[in-house]
């Protein structure tokens, strides 16, 4: 018969494998979820079918909690490929912290900081902001408690080999990588018609995803200076 430590290792392995094979959200979500070694969900008072271990779903009464760290995800794609939309779905599904380097930079631009002024020069020309600026922003954000507890979704980083190497040196590793592949002509069409709401952060398209008819919303919509066909062609080439 297996020893107590061996039984525990088998139990943890079986529970994890069952959740992953079942495609369960619990394999990625916050601690507190639990499955039995046979992949059967159990109530807080039910005995597990193997080894007689309790398999509660309530964190408060779970003596053998299987702690699952939040997921670490990177999403990549050309400008206007739909990263923002997919990020909304992922955040809603898994509760991770969405980190958009583009949003962070645009915030600096709107505040008129020195960093924002520098970034605007590159953004207006359809260029990429220097690596050292992006690396500092991302590293400081990932070090915050909410990212450690909930996991994170990196949107727009890394974009260069230098950024990827900086991530590796800092010990930042993703578990999942998502790539959105969209034809260039579709990207340009999406980009030119794109409008953003600075208050809610929502992104609309005049044709495919029109904004609300509310006059107040219509009046505050922003057409980014780099959302032109000329700038977009350059951005795609750089991407």
């Amino acid at each position: 018969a297996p020893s107590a430590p061996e039984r525990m290792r088998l139990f943890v392995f079986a529970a994890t494998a069952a959740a992953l094979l079942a495609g369960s959200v619990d394999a990625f979500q916050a601690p507190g979820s639990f499955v039995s070694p046979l992949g059967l969900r159990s109530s807080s008072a039910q005995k597990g079918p193997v080894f007689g271990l309790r398999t509660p779903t309530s964190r408060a009464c779970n003596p053998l909690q299987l702690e699952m760290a939040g997921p670490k995800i990177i999403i990549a794609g050309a400008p206007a490929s739909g990263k923002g939309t997919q990020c909304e779905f992922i955040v809603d599904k898994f509760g991770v912290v969405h980190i958009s380097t583009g949003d962070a930079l645009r915030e600096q631009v709107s505040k008129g900081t020195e960093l924002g002024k520098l970034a605007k020069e590159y953004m207006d020309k359809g260029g990429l902001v220097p690596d050292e600026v992006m690396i500092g922003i991302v590293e400081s954000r990932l070090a915050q408690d909410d990212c450690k507890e909930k996991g994170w979704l990196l949107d727009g980083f890394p974009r260069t080999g230098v950024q990827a190497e900086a991530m590796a040196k800092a010990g930042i590793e993703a578990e999942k990588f998502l790539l959105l592949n969209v034809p260039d002509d579709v990207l340009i069409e999406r980009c030119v018609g794109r409008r953003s709401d600075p208050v809610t952060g929502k992104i609309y398209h005049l044709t495919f995803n029109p904004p609300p008819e509310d006059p107040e919303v219509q009046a505050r919509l922003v057409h980014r200076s780099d959302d032109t066909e000329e700038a977009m062609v350059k951005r795609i080439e750089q991407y």
Side-chain angles (χ1 to χ4, degrees):
S3 64
E6 290 173 336
R7 292 203 305 273
M8 179 56 66
R9 285 195 295 271
L10 288 170
F11 179 79
V12 172
F13 171 79
T16 305
L20 292 174
L21 290 174
S24 171
V25 174
D26 296 338
F28 293 105
Q29 280 188 315
S33 302
F34 214 75
V35 293
S36 72
L38 296 183
L40 303 174
R41 293 199 175 279
S42 304
S43 68
S44 59
Q46 185 178 356
K47 290 286 185 177
V50 179
F51 313 135
L53 295 177
R54 299 174 66 86
T55 58
T57 56
S58 170
R59 180 171 185 163
C61 60
N62 188 353
L64 292 174
Q65 182 74 34
L66 179 60
E67 298 288 342
M68 302 295 290
K72 301 172 182 178
I73 309 168
I74 291 176
I75 187 169
S81 61
K83 295 189 297 297
T85 300
Q86 297 305 318
C87 285
E88 287 184 12
F89 293 149
I90 294 172
V91 170
D92 182 62
K93 184 78 171 180
F94 301 112
V96 294
V97 178
H98 178 209
I99 302 174
S100 169
T101 52
D103 287 346
L105 285 172
R106 284 187 285 275
E107 181 180 0
Q108 296 291 327
V109 171
S110 66
K111 291 180 178 179
T113 64
E114 290 303 316
L115 174 61
K117 294 176 182 178
L118 176 62
K120 191 175 188 304
E121 292 181 10
Y122 289 90
M123 294 167 69
D124 286 347
K125 298 175 184 177
L128 298 178
V129 177
D131 289 329
E132 58 270 18
V133 177
M134 303 305 305
I135 292 168
I137 291 176
V138 171
E139 286 189 357
S140 61
R141 185 65 184 88
L142 292 179
Q144 296 182 24
D145 290 340
D146 58 346
C147 290
K148 295 178 180 179
E149 296 170 1
K150 300 178 181 179
W152 43 261
L153 171 61
L154 264 181
D155 172 10
F157 187 93
R159 291 190 180 186
T160 68
V162 172
Q163 292 177 1
E165 290 173 359
M167 281 186 65
K169 290 179 181 179
I172 302 171
E173 297 182 354
E175 299 165 341
K176 305 290 181 182
F177 181 87
L178 307 178
L179 175 62
L180 306 183
N181 191 11
V182 182
D184 291 357
D185 58 335
V186 176
L187 294 173
I188 293 174
E189 184 180 11
R190 287 182 180 179
C191 184
V192 173
R194 185 165 58 181
R195 300 292 186 274
S196 60
D197 185 338
V199 175
T200 65
K202 292 284 188 181
I203 298 177
Y204 302 100
H205 190 280
L206 299 181
T207 303
F208 306 123
N209 181 31
E213 296 295 335
D214 186 342
E216 183 178 348
V217 175
Q218 295 273 352
R220 69 181 184 232
L221 293 179
V222 175
H223 186 205
R224 283 169 43 184
S225 58
D226 56 344
D227 273 351
T228 64
E229 183 171 354
E230 295 76 15
M232 188 61 179
V233 170
K234 185 173 183 179
R235 291 165 68 191
I236 292 173
E237 289 175 352
Q238 290 184 331
Y239 167 77

